[in-house]
Amino acid sequence: MKEVVLYSKPGCKLCEEVKQLIELFDAHVLEVNIEDNPDLLEKYILEIPVVDISGETLDYRSIDYFQLEKRLQ
């Protein structure tokens, strides 16, 4: 089972949708609230949701079912 780090923040509807999409695969989701870390907030404030899969980062523009499937199966 792969681990997926999901960078998000409370109230982010798109983040919730991406989390549900990831849960379709055999993957463990580690959700990180960017508001808890000033560096992450600065880095990802305009990019969330962002996922990290095995060191590869995808932002909201490139996250879809097929991109996740390619990396998680």
Side-chain angles (χ1 to χ4, degrees), residues 3 6 15 40-41 47 65:
E3 181 172 274
L6 171 61
C15 298
L40 292 176
L41 184 62
E47 304 296 320
Y65 179 89

Side-chain angles (χ1 to χ4, degrees), residues 42-55:
E42 182 178 339
K43 184 175 183 178
Y44 293 133
I45 188 66
L46 299 176
E47 304 296 320
I48 61 168
V50 173
V51 298
D52 183 294
I53 305 169
S54 302

